[in-house]
């Protein structure tokens, strides 16, 4: 009550407050982070340890089991999952909720470095990465060329494309998919090796001896101090052929006499297929706290600059843009809010015939949504699928706040009350019921604050979005709406003559309504006069809406006489329907959406060559195009095989993304 009284007495203060909400809310809408999913902050760390040549069984025996044994000394580990492929071990460590993940990552790095002593000789330290579901790829940069090989495209992606990512804040730069690392290939002829009585170990030793780095020195001549670099490092590929080979004595035997040298690539472990053709792509991922929309927008703006660093025959394109779903959701929310506001205004205009009241209702809906976004940003939330769902759900609820207030004001206008008194009585009368409804709605979403893990991360933004929008809508209906109603709306005219010159016009109008001052203590009883009155408008006629309202109120009065049977039947029907529907409805974390994309995982028999797997993948693509029609398939992306050991972090993206190697 005091809130309504303060608003009517200090309207300028309330309008300044609403203007501040709009100003800072619009500013928050332009700067708040836009993401696909809310920040999960999952307590998960991944270890990727490559070792070329080992079978999955060997990777498990020599690496996975030793890691499990030594990680027993780590604190807070809940579970350990391992995946072993040829030459690679992936380990997923899940910690308990509340674990300090920075400390856990530091402890894990120390333990993994200590474990190097028990691994086979030549083992390199592992990759220890904290990977979150919010760091999933949000698109792909595809490199294609009609003349260049995949290995050349891979080299360009590493040198030119990934180096350009430093200009884009929040963008991660995983290694390219589809090619093999550039390698100097030395192919030894076994027959020539036997004819010179040499072994492979001697070839390796000769290459290592003649291709070393050494520190430079200085030579002081006169007044100058010259730097004297060493020339141990081979600069040209052809110079490898001139490496001398020794076999017990001095002989004129060189590497070119027993082997061929070429600038090539490592052994092919897999292929990336874009539209069925071998190509190279780079997964675009963002850091956990970056905005998906900002990263994608800045990346698209920098694409021409990145393209200029590549040869003319290499085309760079951004595909599988996941930010489109969020932008579409934002656009849908805006259109839904606009449609909801307009339709609500039309309903008010249709049933109450008041254009000014319709304008008041239309203004409160966007104000509540904008203020809700402001408080979402203040509480560290982002615009994502869940928060947008909460705002969309809130639109359907908050339209009732101002609509009910406007309709009740009209009821008190119909009693013939003066405008100020009618507004005060109408808002005071429904203040407590609306507060009770608000608390009931908030209570439904209160459990979201106690959830942990993925459910808590998903449903907390939804609950906050609904809660903030509903609270702001309630406050506006008790302050902003009565102020605008007092300024804009016109009380229903009633023809009467002033009977007492000693009182004001408002007092005289109230006296002629037939109401008493005592009835102001309980304004609900005053509505009996409204229901029983026939032809209270200026034309002496009852409108269609008024007839419907009066009949409905009489129907409610009759239901109150048999309220116990009605409540029992209602509970039986609702509980029975809920049990029936819960037994048949599906269950999932997120609702199904038509994103025009889907993933398919194919597993060939163990030991199948990647060339044969590639053929099977292309056959599946042909079948899919035949089913849906080639004109409905815009682009396809397939990865066949495994990743080179040098890029052992890449399988983590596929492991999480649902396309495990």
């Amino acid at each position: 009550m005091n809130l309504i009284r303060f608003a009517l007495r200090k309207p300028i203060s309330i309008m300044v407050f609403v203007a501040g909400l709009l100003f800072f809310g619009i500013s928050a809408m332009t700067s708040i982070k836009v993401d696909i999913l809310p920040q999960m902050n999952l307590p998960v760390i991944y270890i990727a340890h490559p070792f070329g040549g080992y079978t999955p069984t060997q990777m498990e025996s020599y690496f996975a089991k030793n890691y499990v044994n030594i990680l027993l000394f780590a604190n807070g580990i809940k579970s350990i999952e391992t995946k072993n492929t040829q030459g690679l071990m992936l380990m997923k460590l899940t910690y308990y909720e509340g674990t300090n993940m920075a400390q856990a990552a530091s402890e894990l790095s120390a333990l993994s470095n200590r474990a190097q002593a028990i691994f086979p000789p030549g083992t390199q330290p592992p990759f220890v990465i904290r990977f979150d579901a919010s760091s999933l790829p949000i698109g792909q940069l595809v490199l294609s060329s009609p003349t260049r090989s995949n290995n050349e495209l891979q080299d360009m992606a590493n040198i030119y494309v990934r180096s350009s990512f430093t200009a884009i804040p929040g963008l991660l730069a995983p290694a390219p998919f589809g090619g093999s690392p550039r390698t100097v290939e030395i192919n030894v002829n076994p027959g020539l090796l036997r004819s010179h009585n040499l072994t492979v170990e001697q070839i390796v030793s000769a290459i290592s001896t003649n291709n070393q780095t050494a520190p430079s020195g200085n030579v002081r001549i006169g007044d100058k101090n010259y730097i004297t670099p060493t020339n141990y490092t081979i600069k040209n590929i052809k110079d490898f052929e001139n490496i001398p080979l020794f076999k017990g004595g001095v002989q004129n035997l060189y590497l070119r006499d027993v082997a061929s040298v070429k600038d090539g690539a490592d052994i092919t472990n897999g292929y990336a297929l874009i539209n069925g053709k071998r190509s190279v792509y780079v997964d675009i991922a963002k850091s956990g706290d970056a905005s998906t929309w900002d990263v994608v927008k800045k990346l698209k703006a920098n694409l021409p600059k990145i393209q200029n660093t590549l040869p003319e025959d290499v085309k760079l394109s951004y595909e599988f843009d996941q930010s489109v779903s969020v932008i579409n959701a934002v656009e849908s929310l805006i259109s839904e809010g606009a449609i909801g506001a307009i339709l609500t205004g039309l309903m008010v205009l249709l049933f109450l015939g008041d254009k000014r009241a319709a304008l008041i209702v239309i203004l409160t809906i966007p104000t509540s949504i904008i203020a809700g976004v402001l408080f979402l940003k203040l509480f560290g939330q982002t615009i994502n699928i869940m928060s947008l769902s909460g705002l969309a759900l809130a639109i359907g609820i908050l339209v009732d706040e101002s609509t009910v207030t406007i309709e009740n004001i009209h009821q008190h206008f119909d009693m013939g009350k003066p405008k100020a008194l009618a507004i005060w009585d109408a808002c005071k009368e429904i203040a407590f019921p609306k507060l009770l409804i608000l608390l009931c709605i908030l209570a439904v979403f209160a459990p979201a604050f106690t959830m942990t893990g993925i459910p808590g991360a998903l449903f907390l933004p939804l609950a906050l979005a609904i809660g903030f929008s509903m609270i702001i809508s309630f406050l506006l209906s008790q302050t902003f709406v009565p102020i605008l109603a007092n300024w804009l709306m016109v009380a229903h005219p009633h023809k009467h003559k002033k009977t007492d010159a000693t009182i004001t016009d408002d007092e005289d109008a109230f006296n002629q309504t037939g109401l008493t001052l005592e009835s102001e203590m309980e304004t609900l009883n005053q509505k009996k006069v409204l229901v029983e009155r026939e032809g209270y408008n200026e034309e002496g006629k009852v409108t269609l809406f008024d007839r419907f309202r009066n009949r409905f109120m009489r129907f409610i009065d009759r239901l109150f006489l048999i309220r116990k049977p009605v409540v029992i039947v209602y509970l039986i029907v609702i509980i029975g329907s809920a049990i029936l529907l819960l037994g048949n409805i599906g269950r999932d974390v997120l609702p199904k959406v038509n994103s025009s994309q889907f993933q398919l995982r194919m597993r060939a028999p163990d030991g199948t060559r990647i060339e044969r797997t590639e053929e099977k993948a292309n056959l599946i693509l042909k079948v899919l195009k035949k089913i849906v029609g080639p004109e409905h398939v815009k682009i396809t992306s397939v990865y066949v095989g495994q990743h080179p050991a040098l890029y052992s972090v890449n399988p983590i993206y596929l492991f999480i993304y649902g396309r495990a190697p």
Side-chain angles (χ1 to χ4, degrees), residues 122-141:
T123 303
Q124 299 296 321
F127 293 92
V128 180
I129 300 175
R130 187 180 176 196
F131 208 88
D132 198 291
S134 57
S135 299
L136 287 174
I138 55 178
Q140 293 180 359
L141 272 182

Side-chain angles (χ1 to χ4, degrees), residues 55-253:
T55 65
T57 303
Q58 288 176 315
M59 294 302 300
E60 181 182 8
S61 301
Y62 290 98
F63 289 90
K65 291 184 177 179
N66 288 327
Y67 267 118
V68 172
N69 290 334
I70 198 167
L71 290 178
L72 294 176
F73 295 99
N75 296 321
I77 294 181
K78 181 179 180 180
S79 64
I80 300 177
E81 303 174 36
T82 60
K83 183 177 182 64
N84 301 285
T85 59
Q86 185 175 5
L88 178 66
M89 182 216 70
L90 288 178
M91 179 173 287
K92 177 183 177 182
L93 302 172
T94 304
Y95 289 78
Y96 287 100
E97 291 288 339
T99 303
N100 188 332
M101 296 308 296
Q103 179 181 349
S106 176
E107 186 179 34
L108 189 59
S109 298
L111 290 174
S112 60
N113 290 331
R114 184 177 180 83
Q116 300 306 305
I118 60 178
F119 293 148
T123 303
Q124 299 296 321
F127 293 92
V128 180
I129 300 175
R130 187 180 176 196
F131 208 88
D132 198 291
S134 57
S135 299
L136 287 174
I138 55 178
Q140 293 180 359
L141 272 182
V142 179
L143 287 84
S144 57
S145 172
T147 58
R148 299 181 184 271
S149 65
N150 283 1
N151 298 331
E152 291 178 288
L153 295 176
Q154 175 99 354
D155 201 35
M156 294 178 186
N158 264 324
I159 296 174
Y160 301 111
V161 177
R162 293 181 66 203
S163 61
S164 304
F165 290 171
T166 56
I168 304 174
L171 180 60
L172 301 180
F177 291 72
S180 298
R182 184 184 179 188
T183 307
V184 177
E185 292 185 24
I186 300 177
N187 300 309
V188 179
N189 189 316
L192 294 175
L193 205 63
R194 286 194 299 269
S195 65
H196 291 285
N197 198 24
L198 291 173
T199 63
V200 176
E201 287 76 13
Q202 289 175 290
I203 303 296
V204 173
S205 177
I207 296 172
S208 301
T209 303
N210 290 273
N211 187 31
Q212 295 182 354
T213 59
S216 61
N218 298 88
V219 175
R220 296 168 179 82
I221 301 176
D223 296 335
K224 299 293 184 180
N225 184 12
Y226 296 96
I227 298 176
T228 55
T230 59
N231 58 353
Y232 287 173
T233 304
I234 296 176
K235 297 181 180 180
N236 300 316
I237 301 298
K238 282 294 183 182
D239 292 340
F240 278 94
E241 297 178 349
N242 300 325
I243 293 177
L245 303 177
F246 302 96
K247 55 171 189 173
V250 178
Q251 291 187 7
N252 294 327
L253 184 65

Side-chain angles (χ1 to χ4, degrees), residues 35-57:
D35 210 340
I36 299 175
L37 293 173
Q39 294 184 19
M40 299 294 186
N41 293 323
L42 300 180
V44 176
I45 297 180
Y46 286 86
I47 297 178
H49 202 142
F51 195 78
Y54 269 31
T55 65
T57 303

Side-chain angles (χ1 to χ4, degrees), residues 474-502:
F474 172 77
L475 294 177
L476 290 179
S477 68
Q478 298 299 100
T479 56
F480 182 67
V481 171
I483 290 174
L484 290 185
N486 193 32
W487 287 355
L488 300 179
M489 294 177 65
V490 178
H492 297 177
H494 292 267
K495 297 179 180 180
H496 63 275
K497 295 181 180 180
K498 191 172 183 180
T499 57
D500 190 349
T502 61

